[in-house]
Amino acid sequence: MPEPHVPDDRSAIASTGAGGATDLAMSEGATLEGSGSGGQGPEGKPRSLWSDAWHDLRRKPVFIISSLIILFLIVISIWPQLIASGNPLSCDLSKAQQGSQPGHPFGFNGQGCDVYTRTVYGARASVTVGVCATLGVAIVGSVLGGLAGFFGGGWDAVLSRLTDVFFAIPVVLGGLVLLSVVKADTVWPVVGFMVLLGWPQIYRIARGSVITAKQNDYVQAARALGASNSRMLLRHITPNAVAPVIVVATIALGTYIALEATLSYLGVGLRPPTVSWGIDISSASAYVRNAPHMLLWPAGALAVTVLAFIMLGDAVRDALDPKLR
Protein backbone atom coordinates (compact mmCIF):
# COMPACT_ATOMS: atom_id res chain seq x y z
CA MET A 1 0.00 0.00 0.00
CA PRO A 2 1.58 3.38 -1.01
CA GLU A 3 2.41 5.73 1.78
CA PRO A 4 0.54 9.06 1.85
CA HIS A 5 2.48 12.00 0.47
CA VAL A 6 3.46 14.46 3.20
CA PRO A 7 4.40 17.89 1.81
CA ASP A 8 7.55 19.41 3.18
CA ASP A 9 7.67 22.76 4.93
CA ARG A 10 8.63 24.75 1.82
CA SER A 11 5.80 23.36 -0.32
CA ALA A 12 3.37 23.84 2.52
CA ILE A 13 4.36 27.47 2.86
CA ALA A 14 4.26 28.01 -0.89
CA SER A 15 0.72 26.61 -1.10
CA THR A 16 -0.63 29.58 0.84
CA GLY A 17 -0.85 33.13 -0.45
CA ALA A 18 1.14 34.60 2.40
CA GLY A 19 3.73 31.86 2.20
CA GLY A 20 4.11 32.35 -1.54
CA ALA A 21 4.64 36.06 -1.10
CA THR A 22 7.12 35.40 1.68
CA ASP A 23 9.00 32.85 -0.38
CA LEU A 24 9.07 35.21 -3.37
CA ALA A 25 10.36 38.09 -1.24
CA MET A 26 13.05 35.87 0.24
CA SER A 27 14.18 34.73 -3.20
CA GLU A 28 14.24 38.30 -4.52
CA GLY A 29 16.20 39.44 -1.46
CA ALA A 30 18.76 36.71 -2.07
CA THR A 31 19.04 37.74 -5.70
CA LEU A 32 19.61 41.40 -4.79
CA GLU A 33 22.10 40.47 -2.12
CA GLY A 34 24.06 38.35 -4.55
CA SER A 35 24.12 41.03 -7.23
CA GLY A 36 26.06 43.51 -5.05
CA SER A 37 24.63 46.57 -6.86
CA GLY A 38 21.86 49.08 -6.42
CA GLY A 39 23.46 51.64 -4.13
CA GLN A 40 25.34 49.17 -1.94
CA GLY A 41 28.99 48.84 -1.14
CA PRO A 42 31.13 45.71 -1.41
CA GLU A 43 29.89 44.44 1.98
CA GLY A 44 26.21 45.06 1.19
CA LYS A 45 26.08 48.29 3.17
CA PRO A 46 24.28 51.30 1.67
CA ARG A 47 26.63 53.81 0.08
CA SER A 48 26.70 57.42 1.19
CA LEU A 49 25.93 60.31 -1.15
CA TRP A 50 29.62 60.96 -1.81
CA SER A 51 30.59 57.32 -2.42
CA ASP A 52 27.53 56.86 -4.61
CA ALA A 53 28.45 60.01 -6.57
CA TRP A 54 32.03 58.78 -7.04
CA HIS A 55 30.66 55.40 -8.15
CA ASP A 56 28.72 57.18 -10.90
CA LEU A 57 31.39 59.73 -11.83
CA ARG A 58 34.14 57.25 -12.60
CA ARG A 59 31.85 55.62 -15.16
CA LYS A 60 31.10 58.85 -17.02
CA PRO A 61 33.34 59.55 -20.06
CA VAL A 62 32.64 63.28 -19.74
CA PHE A 63 34.03 63.31 -16.19
CA ILE A 64 37.10 61.28 -17.13
CA ILE A 65 37.96 63.41 -20.18
CA SER A 66 37.44 66.73 -18.40
CA SER A 67 39.42 65.54 -15.36
CA LEU A 68 42.36 64.50 -17.53
CA ILE A 69 42.35 67.88 -19.31
CA ILE A 70 42.21 69.76 -15.99
CA LEU A 71 44.95 67.58 -14.51
CA PHE A 72 47.14 68.33 -17.53
CA LEU A 73 46.47 72.07 -17.16
CA ILE A 74 47.36 71.99 -13.47
CA VAL A 75 50.61 70.13 -14.17
CA ILE A 76 51.76 72.55 -16.88
CA SER A 77 50.70 75.48 -14.71
CA ILE A 78 53.06 74.31 -11.99
CA TRP A 79 55.84 72.97 -14.25
CA PRO A 80 55.48 74.58 -17.70
CA GLN A 81 59.09 73.72 -18.48
CA LEU A 82 58.06 70.07 -18.83
CA ILE A 83 56.70 70.73 -22.32
CA ALA A 84 58.09 74.20 -23.12
CA SER A 85 61.82 74.77 -22.77
CA GLY A 86 61.89 78.34 -24.07
CA ASN A 87 61.45 81.68 -22.33
CA PRO A 88 58.03 83.31 -22.93
CA LEU A 89 59.60 86.78 -22.62
CA SER A 90 62.41 86.09 -25.09
CA CYS A 91 61.50 87.74 -28.41
CA ASP A 92 63.15 88.28 -31.79
CA LEU A 93 61.60 91.08 -33.86
CA SER A 94 63.05 89.64 -37.06
CA LYS A 95 60.62 86.72 -36.71
CA ALA A 96 57.53 88.81 -35.91
CA GLN A 97 54.24 87.33 -37.17
CA GLN A 98 55.98 84.41 -38.86
CA GLY A 99 54.17 81.09 -39.04
CA SER A 100 55.10 77.61 -37.92
CA GLN A 101 58.78 76.66 -38.07
CA PRO A 102 60.85 73.71 -36.84
CA GLY A 103 61.00 73.98 -33.07
CA HIS A 104 58.26 76.63 -33.06
CA PRO A 105 55.04 74.81 -34.01
CA PHE A 106 52.69 77.73 -33.23
CA GLY A 107 54.75 80.44 -34.94
CA PHE A 108 55.60 83.86 -33.51
CA ASN A 109 53.55 86.83 -32.31
CA GLY A 110 53.84 90.51 -33.21
CA GLN A 111 56.94 90.98 -31.04
CA GLY A 112 58.64 87.82 -32.29
CA CYS A 113 57.89 85.77 -29.15
CA ASP A 114 57.23 82.05 -29.48
CA VAL A 115 53.43 81.56 -29.41
CA TYR A 116 53.72 77.95 -28.20
CA THR A 117 55.82 78.91 -25.20
CA ARG A 118 53.55 81.81 -24.30
CA THR A 119 50.46 79.60 -24.65
CA VAL A 120 51.92 77.02 -22.26
CA TYR A 121 53.06 79.60 -19.71
CA GLY A 122 49.77 81.49 -20.02
CA ALA A 123 47.97 78.58 -18.36
CA ARG A 124 49.62 79.46 -15.03
CA ALA A 125 48.00 82.88 -14.66
CA SER A 126 44.58 81.75 -15.92
CA VAL A 127 44.37 78.62 -13.77
CA THR A 128 45.71 80.46 -10.71
CA VAL A 129 43.09 83.18 -11.05
CA GLY A 130 40.30 80.66 -11.60
CA VAL A 131 41.20 78.36 -8.70
CA CYS A 132 41.95 81.13 -6.17
CA ALA A 133 38.85 83.11 -7.11
CA THR A 134 36.67 80.02 -6.84
CA LEU A 135 38.09 79.09 -3.44
CA GLY A 136 37.63 82.63 -2.14
CA VAL A 137 34.08 82.91 -3.46
CA ALA A 138 33.14 79.48 -2.11
CA ILE A 139 34.54 80.16 1.36
CA VAL A 140 33.06 83.65 1.77
CA GLY A 141 29.70 82.78 0.23
CA SER A 142 29.35 79.47 2.08
CA VAL A 143 30.19 80.92 5.50
CA LEU A 144 27.90 83.93 5.16
CA GLY A 145 25.12 81.96 3.50
CA GLY A 146 25.31 79.16 6.05
CA LEU A 147 25.11 81.53 9.00
CA ALA A 148 22.26 83.51 7.43
CA GLY A 149 20.28 80.39 6.61
CA PHE A 150 20.80 78.81 10.02
CA PHE A 151 20.18 81.78 12.31
CA GLY A 152 17.87 83.86 10.10
CA GLY A 153 16.44 87.04 11.59
CA GLY A 154 18.18 90.38 11.18
CA TRP A 155 21.46 88.80 10.08
CA ASP A 156 19.68 87.12 7.19
CA ALA A 157 17.78 90.28 6.23
CA VAL A 158 20.88 92.49 6.14
CA LEU A 159 22.96 90.03 4.10
CA SER A 160 20.10 89.37 1.69
CA ARG A 161 19.74 93.07 0.94
CA LEU A 162 23.52 93.36 0.59
CA THR A 163 23.59 90.58 -1.98
CA ASP A 164 20.88 92.40 -3.94
CA VAL A 165 23.17 95.43 -4.13
CA PHE A 166 26.11 93.36 -5.43
CA PHE A 167 23.91 91.54 -7.95
CA ALA A 168 22.93 94.92 -9.40
CA ILE A 169 26.57 95.68 -10.31
CA PRO A 170 27.53 94.50 -13.84
CA VAL A 171 30.62 92.34 -13.52
CA VAL A 172 32.53 93.65 -16.52
CA LEU A 173 31.65 97.26 -15.76
CA GLY A 174 32.66 96.80 -12.13
CA GLY A 175 35.97 95.34 -13.28
CA LEU A 176 36.60 98.26 -15.61
CA VAL A 177 36.02 100.74 -12.78
CA LEU A 178 37.77 98.93 -9.93
CA LEU A 179 40.77 97.49 -11.78
CA SER A 180 41.44 100.78 -13.59
CA VAL A 181 42.13 102.26 -10.15
CA VAL A 182 43.96 99.25 -8.69
CA LYS A 183 46.78 98.27 -11.02
CA ALA A 184 46.80 94.51 -11.55
CA ASP A 185 50.53 93.82 -11.80
CA THR A 186 49.88 90.42 -10.18
CA VAL A 187 46.90 88.07 -10.14
CA TRP A 188 45.73 89.06 -6.64
CA PRO A 189 43.87 92.30 -7.49
CA VAL A 190 41.93 90.36 -10.14
CA VAL A 191 41.22 87.54 -7.68
CA GLY A 192 40.07 90.03 -5.05
CA PHE A 193 37.71 91.70 -7.53
CA MET A 194 36.16 88.36 -8.48
CA VAL A 195 35.65 87.39 -4.86
CA LEU A 196 34.11 90.79 -4.11
CA LEU A 197 31.47 90.46 -6.83
CA GLY A 198 31.17 86.66 -6.95
CA TRP A 199 30.31 85.66 -3.37
CA PRO A 200 26.57 86.58 -3.55
CA GLN A 201 25.87 83.72 -5.96
CA ILE A 202 27.35 81.12 -3.62
CA TYR A 203 25.70 82.91 -0.69
CA ARG A 204 22.23 82.32 -2.08
CA ILE A 205 22.94 78.68 -2.91
CA ALA A 206 24.39 77.99 0.55
CA ARG A 207 21.58 79.85 2.32
CA GLY A 208 18.88 77.89 0.52
CA SER A 209 20.64 74.56 1.14
CA VAL A 210 21.04 75.26 4.86
CA ILE A 211 17.40 76.35 5.22
CA THR A 212 16.31 73.09 3.58
CA ALA A 213 18.71 70.92 5.59
CA LYS A 214 17.86 72.36 9.00
CA GLN A 215 14.21 71.35 8.58
CA ASN A 216 15.06 67.65 8.31
CA ASP A 217 14.12 65.24 11.09
CA TYR A 218 17.67 64.36 12.08
CA VAL A 219 18.45 68.04 12.75
CA GLN A 220 15.29 68.42 14.83
CA ALA A 221 16.23 65.27 16.76
CA ALA A 222 19.71 66.63 17.43
CA ARG A 223 18.21 69.88 18.63
CA ALA A 224 15.82 68.00 20.94
CA LEU A 225 18.74 66.04 22.39
CA GLY A 226 20.45 69.32 23.33
CA ALA A 227 23.04 69.61 20.57
CA SER A 228 24.65 73.04 20.34
CA ASN A 229 24.25 75.30 17.32
CA SER A 230 27.86 74.81 16.26
CA ARG A 231 27.54 71.02 16.45
CA MET A 232 24.33 70.98 14.44
CA LEU A 233 25.79 73.33 11.85
CA LEU A 234 29.12 71.54 11.46
CA ARG A 235 28.15 67.90 12.01
CA HIS A 236 24.62 67.61 10.67
CA ILE A 237 23.79 70.49 8.32
CA THR A 238 27.01 71.32 6.48
CA PRO A 239 27.75 67.79 5.13
CA ASN A 240 24.22 67.63 3.72
CA ALA A 241 24.14 71.18 2.32
CA VAL A 242 27.56 71.49 0.70
CA ALA A 243 26.83 69.50 -2.48
CA PRO A 244 25.04 72.34 -4.38
CA VAL A 245 27.85 74.73 -3.44
CA ILE A 246 30.46 72.36 -4.91
CA VAL A 247 28.49 72.02 -8.13
CA VAL A 248 28.03 75.78 -8.63
CA ALA A 249 31.65 76.54 -7.69
CA THR A 250 32.98 73.96 -10.15
CA ILE A 251 30.98 75.42 -13.02
CA ALA A 252 31.87 78.98 -11.98
CA LEU A 253 35.60 78.20 -12.08
CA GLY A 254 35.55 78.13 -15.87
CA THR A 255 33.57 81.37 -15.86
CA TYR A 256 36.23 83.10 -13.75
CA ILE A 257 38.97 82.01 -16.15
CA ALA A 258 36.99 83.48 -19.04
CA LEU A 259 36.36 86.66 -17.02
CA GLU A 260 40.09 87.10 -16.36
CA ALA A 261 40.77 86.78 -20.08
CA THR A 262 38.03 89.31 -20.83
CA LEU A 263 39.40 91.86 -18.37
CA SER A 264 42.95 91.34 -19.66
CA TYR A 265 41.68 91.77 -23.21
CA LEU A 266 40.08 95.09 -22.20
CA GLY A 267 43.37 96.22 -20.66
CA VAL A 268 42.32 96.33 -17.00
CA GLY A 269 43.14 92.77 -15.96
CA LEU A 270 46.61 91.32 -15.94
CA ARG A 271 49.28 93.44 -17.61
CA PRO A 272 52.65 92.68 -19.19
CA PRO A 273 55.14 91.28 -18.37
CA THR A 274 52.63 88.77 -16.95
CA VAL A 275 51.95 86.02 -19.50
CA SER A 276 48.23 85.48 -19.93
CA TRP A 277 45.94 84.15 -22.62
CA GLY A 278 43.83 87.31 -22.38
CA ILE A 279 46.86 89.53 -22.97
CA ASP A 280 47.94 87.47 -25.99
CA ILE A 281 44.42 87.50 -27.44
CA SER A 282 44.26 91.27 -27.00
CA SER A 283 47.60 91.85 -28.72
CA ALA A 284 46.77 89.41 -31.54
CA SER A 285 43.35 90.86 -32.36
CA ALA A 286 44.89 93.65 -34.45
CA TYR A 287 46.75 91.12 -36.65
CA VAL A 288 44.03 88.50 -37.06
CA ARG A 289 43.93 88.88 -40.87
CA ASN A 290 47.68 88.79 -41.48
CA ALA A 291 48.66 86.30 -38.75
CA PRO A 292 45.61 84.36 -37.49
CA HIS A 293 47.83 81.85 -35.70
CA MET A 294 48.62 84.50 -33.08
CA LEU A 295 44.95 84.50 -32.02
CA LEU A 296 44.07 80.88 -32.73
CA TRP A 297 46.27 79.11 -30.20
CA PRO A 298 45.71 81.17 -27.01
CA ALA A 299 41.99 81.47 -27.81
CA GLY A 300 41.78 77.72 -28.42
CA ALA A 301 43.57 76.98 -25.12
CA LEU A 302 41.18 79.30 -23.30
CA ALA A 303 38.13 77.69 -24.91
CA VAL A 304 39.28 74.15 -24.07
CA THR A 305 40.02 75.10 -20.47
CA VAL A 306 36.65 76.76 -19.89
CA LEU A 307 34.84 73.88 -21.58
CA ALA A 308 36.69 71.31 -19.44
CA PHE A 309 35.63 72.97 -16.18
CA ILE A 310 32.04 73.36 -17.37
CA MET A 311 31.92 69.69 -18.37
CA LEU A 312 33.34 68.73 -14.99
CA GLY A 313 30.71 70.82 -13.21
CA ASP A 314 27.90 69.26 -15.24
CA ALA A 315 29.13 65.76 -14.44
CA VAL A 316 29.40 66.55 -10.72
CA ARG A 317 25.92 68.10 -10.76
CA ASP A 318 24.41 64.99 -12.33
CA ALA A 319 26.16 62.74 -9.82
CA LEU A 320 25.19 64.73 -6.72
CA ASP A 321 21.57 65.46 -7.69
CA PRO A 322 19.38 62.61 -6.36
CA LYS A 323 16.51 63.68 -8.64
CA LEU A 324 18.53 62.69 -11.70
CA ARG A 325 19.10 59.11 -10.52
Side-chain angles (χ1 to χ4, degrees), residues 20 27 29 54 74 79 86 88 160 168 185 220 223 239 251 254-256 265 271 292 295 301 314 324:
S27 63
W54 173 245
I74 293 174
W79 302 289
S160 296
D185 295 330
Q220 301 301 326
R223 187 187 301 274
I251 297 176
T255 305
Y256 292 137
Y265 176 83
R271 294 179 173 87
L295 178 66
D314 288 340
L324 299 178

Side-chain angles (χ1 to χ4, degrees), residues 50 56 98 140 196 207 212 225 236 260 266 277 291 295 300 314:
W50 302 104
D56 292 342
Q98 295 183 8
V140 175
L196 179 64
R207 176 181 175 272
T212 302
L225 292 174
H236 301 290
E260 177 273 322
L266 295 175
W277 291 332
L295 178 66
D314 288 340

Side-chain angles (χ1 to χ4, degrees), residues 178-213:
L178 180 62
L179 294 178
S180 62
V181 177
V182 181
K183 301 299 182 182
D185 295 330
T186 62
V187 300
W188 303 118
V190 179
V191 171
F193 158 74
M194 293 181 181
V195 174
L196 179 64
L197 293 186
W199 68 268
Q201 181 185 16
I202 301 296
Y203 166 86
R204 287 191 171 181
I205 299 296
R207 176 181 175 272
S209 299
V210 170
I211 290 175
T212 302

Side-chain angles (χ1 to χ4, degrees), residues 18 24 38 41-42 55 58 71 76 78 83 129 139 144 168 179 202 206 210 217 229 233 237 246 265 279 313 318 322:
L24 179 60
H55 181 268
R58 61 187 181 182
L71 179 61
I76 67 172
I78 300 174
I83 61 173
V129 169
I139 292 173
L144 296 179
L179 294 178
I202 301 296
V210 170
D217 294 337
N229 291 334
L233 189 60
I237 295 179
I246 294 177
Y265 176 83
I279 295 175
D318 295 342

Side-chain angles (χ1 to χ4, degrees), residues 2 13 31 51 101 103 111 117 151 211 213 253-254 259 306 319:
I13 294 174
T31 303
S51 59
Q101 298 179 6
Q111 287 76 37
T117 304
F151 292 104
I211 290 175
L253 201 155
L259 178 60
V306 174

Side-chain angles (χ1 to χ4, degrees), residues 92-175:
D92 185 359
L93 286 175
S94 63
K95 298 180 179 180
Q97 302 183 25
Q98 295 183 8
S100 176
Q101 298 179 6
H104 306 279
F106 293 177
F108 299 88
N109 65 4
Q111 287 76 37
C113 303
D114 184 33
V115 175
Y116 171 77
T117 304
R118 290 187 64 85
T119 301
V120 172
Y121 275 82
R124 173 178 294 177
S126 298
V127 172
T128 300
V129 169
V131 171
C132 294
T134 302
L135 289 176
V137 166
I139 292 173
V140 175
S142 299
V143 171
L144 296 179
L147 295 176
F150 183 77
F151 292 104
W155 173 263
D156 185 17
V158 171
L159 285 178
S160 296
R161 300 294 74 78
L162 186 60
T163 56
D164 293 338
V165 173
F166 278 96
F167 270 119
I169 302 175
V171 177
V172 177
L173 180 59

